[in-house]
Amino acid sequence: MMSDKQDLKDVLKGTVKNLLTGKEFKFDAKETHRDEQQGTLRFHGTMFDPEIDDGFHLSVIAVNLR
């Protein structure tokens, strides 16, 4: 969910599932990007990977709308 409400501005939240392990994780990306490329509206959300606790690896959700 991306919203311009005061408490949710530039946040992408949801639940993701690792299809290999079956584990579910909350996805809460405080860093988001929106842009348009060749007529496609794109949303990206980035957060640290919950399965690798080293402060380096990232998880990304990207959605493209035409």
Side-chain angles (χ1 to χ4, degrees):
M1 154 179 51
M2 291 187 80
S3 176
D4 286 331
K5 292 182 181 178
Q6 186 175 6
D7 59 335
L8 295 176
K9 186 174 178 81
D10 298 329
V11 173
L12 184 61
K13 291 184 176 187
T15 303
V16 294
K17 182 177 183 176
N18 181 325
L19 296 178
L20 296 176
T21 65
K23 291 182 182 179
E24 290 190 359
F25 300 94
K26 290 186 178 187
F27 191 89
D28 186 1
K30 300 273 191 289
E31 183 179 329
T32 61
H33 305 280
R34 292 172 267 190
D35 62 23
E36 186 175 333
Q37 187 176 58
Q38 298 177 353
T40 299
L41 182 60
R42 305 183 317 162
F43 302 91
H44 311 269
T46 305
M47 67 174 249
F48 288 108
D49 190 323
E51 294 186 293
I52 303 173
D53 188 22
D54 65 0
F56 178 73
H57 290 84
L58 299 175
S59 294
V60 177
I61 290 182
V63 178
N64 297 329
L65 303 173
R66 292 181 183 232

